[in-house]
Amino acid sequence: NTTNFEIGFVDRMNIRTFFNAIVCSFDVGKIKPALEIFKEVASRLSVKLSDCLFIDDSLDNIEAARGYGLKAIHFKDVSQLKKDLAEYI
């Protein structure tokens, strides 16, 4: 979930060049955990929701994503994230 401030930072730091797609809620007009924001990401990547892996620190967003059929990791800290990501490799 973003505002114009975060989008400006993303663009100033050229972060978009590192990703195939970045979907900012400010641009789309929807916020997590709305199904539409997840569908927009999948659409831009030309993949099914079930092929997506969603990582977030909000348990509400994680549960919603799983309910929509996405794989999801609840971020708690970097070491836990590394361990959880290893399960998908």
Side-chain angles (χ1 to χ4, degrees):
N1 298 330
T2 58
T3 66
N4 196 33
F5 174 79
E6 288 92 3
I7 293 169
F9 176 79
V10 165
D11 291 338
R12 281 192 309 279
M13 300 302 292
N14 293 318
I15 292 172
R16 293 181 194 265
T17 62
F18 297 101
F19 297 90
N20 294 327
I22 292 181
V23 177
C24 299
S25 60
F26 182 82
D27 292 334
V28 177
K30 300 287 181 183
I31 62 171
K32 300 175 291 185
L35 175 59
E36 295 84 3
I37 196 81
F38 294 104
K39 284 184 173 181
E40 182 65 26
V41 172
S43 174
R44 291 190 190 187
L45 294 171
S46 300
V47 298
K48 299 180 288 185
L49 286 177
S50 60
D51 292 333
C52 295
L53 173 61
F54 176 68
I55 302 168
D56 200 289
D57 63 345
S58 165
L59 190 54
D60 289 340
N61 291 341
I62 292 297
E63 290 173 351
R66 287 179 179 152
Y68 302 143
L70 287 82
K71 299 167 195 73
I73 294 174
H74 184 207
F75 178 84
K76 297 173 188 162
D77 59 54
V78 173
S79 62
Q80 167 264 323
L81 177 61
K82 288 178 181 179
K83 179 181 172 192
D84 290 349
L85 281 172
E87 295 177 22
Y88 292 98
I89 296 175

